[in-house]
Amino acid sequence: MNLEKETNKTYILILLNQHFTTAEKILENTGLSLQELDNLEVIEFETVQTIVHNLSMYSRDPIWPTTLGSQLGITSHGAVGFAALSAETLGQALTTFIEWEQIRSATYTSEVREDALFRHFVIHDITGDKAYHYAFFQAFTRALEILIGTVIQAPNQGMTEIHFIESVNEHQAALRKAFNSTLFFGSENNMLSIPLSWWEIRSPVSDREAYNLNIQKCESLLFRQNRITTPNIIIRTLLRNHFESNISSNHLPTPPPVLSEVATKLHLSERTLIRRLNRYNTSYKMILEATRKEYAKRLLKEARYSISDVSDLLGYQALANFCRAFKRWYGLSPGLFRKQG
C-alpha cells in the first residue's frame, strides 16, 4: 500500500486567511467550495497541488510561501511542532521536526550531511511536482527559522544558510529580505545548513515530559491513521530521537529499544515487523548499526565526549564492543580517528 499524502485542513484555512487572492481563485479547479472545505478534516494531496498552482498564478504576494511559513510557525504542525518546541537542544528540535514531518507529510525525504562548519539537512522532493516543492521548501524553511529563533533567543544574522535548487529567481531580493538566513540559489540540493556550534544550544522552552508526551502523540496518530508503510523510516526516526535524547539529557544514557519494543510501538508482532523490513532489504539490526555508525562519527568529533562516553550514549554494554564496531565501519580505532581529526 502506498502512502496517502494528505494535508491537514488547518494549513489551508490559514492560507485562505492570508488573502493572497480570492478564495474562489485559490479553490479554482479543485471542485471544492468554502462550505465543502469546512466539512473536510483533511485535504487530498492532488487538491493541495492545484491550490499551490493557483496561488502561483494569482497571488498578489510573489513570495506567498515564505509569508505562509511565517504565519504557520511551528505550533500549527500539532504534536510534531510541540515536540520540536519542547526538545532540549536545537539539534534535537530540528531533527525531531524534520524527521517526523517527513513521515507525516510523505512529500519529501531528508538526509543529514556534515562538513567542518555546518550540519546540513538536505530535503529531497518525492512528489515530482517542482512548483509544489519550491513552494513547500520556502514555507518549510521559514517555519524552521522561527523554530531556530525560539531556541537561540538571539538574531540569526545570516549565520544559518538556505540553499535553493532554483538558479534564476526574479524574487531573490524579496526572499533575502524575508528570510533571516543567508540564501544561495542554483545549488545542487534544497538544503538548510546549521552551524555545528549551534547544535547543542539548550532550548529555554525545553520540557522533557512534554517532549516525550508529544512524541507519543505523533506515534499514536500516525499508527492510528495507518500512515506508516515504510517501517525502516519510522525505526530510523525512533532511534535518532532516542540518541538525541541521550545526548541532551542530564541523566545516564539508556540503551536503544530492542526489536520487541519497536514492534509494540508499531502495533505489530515481531514476525510481521521482520517481514515488512525484509521487503526493504533491511532489518532492525542493520538500521540500528547504520544509525550508531552515523552518530559515532559525529560524537567523536566533539572533544567534550570521551570514547567511553560515546560508547555509553550509543548503548553499548562494553567499550570493547563499540571499538570493534567502529573499526569495522571506518577501518581504524576510535582513538586514531579522533587523532586524525
Side-chain angles (χ1 to χ4, degrees):
M1 175 170 49
N2 295 322
L3 281 172
E4 296 179 2
K5 295 184 278 289
E6 299 171 339
T7 296
N8 190 298
K9 182 178 68 175
T10 302
Y11 300 154
I12 305 302
L13 294 178
I14 293 174
L15 188 155
L16 286 165
N17 286 331
Q18 298 309 303
H19 305 295
F20 295 127
T21 186
T22 64
E24 289 74 20
K25 286 184 176 179
I26 291 176
L27 296 176
E28 185 177 283
N29 297 320
T30 65
L32 290 174
S33 65
L34 281 174
Q35 184 176 1
E36 290 169 327
L37 179 66
D38 194 48
N39 293 327
L40 298 175
E41 288 298 323
V42 294
I43 312 297
E44 294 295 326
F45 179 68
E46 290 74 13
T47 301
V48 177
Q49 284 180 295
T50 301
I51 288 173
V52 168
H53 285 270
N54 288 342
L55 282 161
S56 298
M57 290 189 293
Y58 298 129
S59 176
R60 292 183 286 266
D61 181 350
I63 59 167
W64 65 268
T66 302
T67 304
L68 177 63
S70 297
Q71 295 301 314
L72 286 174
I74 294 297
T75 57
S76 299
H77 298 270
V80 175
F82 285 110
L85 282 173
S86 56
E88 296 197 32
T89 63
L90 178 61
Q92 186 182 33
L94 291 170
T95 300
T96 296
F97 187 82
I98 292 173
E99 291 280 350
W100 278 101
E101 188 64 14
Q102 170 183 328
I103 296 171
R104 190 201 63 77
S105 71
T107 61
Y108 69 92
T109 60
S110 65
E111 62 173 307
V112 180
R113 300 177 184 175
E114 186 177 308
D115 58 32
L117 298 176
F118 289 96
R119 186 158 290 130
H120 309 279
F121 287 101
V122 184
I123 307 298
H124 301 288
D125 173 52
I126 59 173
T127 69
D129 186 333
K130 291 183 179 179
Y132 170 83
H133 189 64
Y134 177 60
F136 161 79
F137 187 67
Q138 277 189 55
F140 186 62
T141 48
R142 182 66 190 110
L144 287 172
E145 277 196 335
I146 294 171
L147 173 61
I148 292 168
T150 302
V151 174
I152 67 174
Q153 295 281 289
N156 187 326
Q157 297 181 329
M159 294 295 291
T160 54
E161 296 179 356
I162 297 175
H163 298 254
F164 292 91
I165 291 175
E166 288 73 18
S167 56
V168 179
N169 189 312
E170 59 184 312
H171 307 303
Q172 284 188 22
L175 288 169
R176 292 186 195 280
K177 185 177 180 180
F179 278 91
N180 297 325
S181 303
T182 299
L183 304 188
F184 296 88
F185 297 89
S187 301
E188 183 178 351
N189 295 289
N190 285 328
M191 183 168 69
L192 170 67
S193 303
I194 311 297
L196 287 176
S197 59
W198 286 19
W199 196 254
E200 299 298 337
I201 291 178
R202 308 289 295 189
S203 172
V205 293
S206 67
D207 185 319
R208 175 173 291 276
E209 185 175 340
Y211 177 81
N212 291 332
L213 177 62
N214 281 296
I215 288 295
Q216 290 172 13
K217 287 182 179 179
C218 291
E219 295 169 357
S220 298
L221 178 63
L222 291 169
F223 300 145
R224 187 166 64 248
Q225 292 178 345
N226 196 28
R227 296 290 297 280
I228 303 301
T229 57
T230 52
N232 52 325
I233 294 177
I234 187 66
I235 290 172
R236 185 187 67 182
T237 301
L238 290 171
L239 288 171
R240 283 184 175 176
N241 282 329
H242 173 85
F243 291 134
E244 289 292 344
S245 182
N246 270 355
I247 292 166
S248 61
S249 174
N250 293 322
H251 304 293
L252 290 174
T254 58
V258 296
L259 178 63
S260 60
E261 292 171 325
V262 173
T264 299
K265 279 183 175 289
L266 271 63
H267 302 284
L268 301 171
S269 67
E270 287 187 48
R271 181 173 295 182
T272 298
L273 178 56
I274 291 170
R275 186 170 63 249
R276 291 190 181 183
L277 289 171
N278 284 339
R279 295 176 188 170
Y280 296 91
N281 298 312
T282 191
S283 66
Y284 178 66
K285 182 179 179 180
M286 291 169 65
I287 298 169
L288 175 59
E289 180 158 354
T291 310
R292 278 173 158 167
K293 178 181 178 181
E294 172 191 337
Y295 272 85
K297 187 175 182 180
R298 168 187 148 189
L299 293 172
L300 283 171
K301 291 181 179 179
E302 300 186 28
R304 64 195 179 104
Y305 296 122
S306 69
I307 294 173
S308 180
D309 289 337
V310 176
S311 175
D312 291 341
L313 288 169
L314 297 182
Y316 284 92
Q317 294 183 347
L319 176 59
N321 293 341
F322 168 65
C323 292
R324 280 195 294 270
F326 191 89
K327 189 167 185 179
R328 184 174 71 252
W329 298 331
Y330 294 108
L332 69 170
S333 70
L336 185 57
F337 172 84
R338 174 166 274 178
K339 286 180 181 178
Q340 292 182 350

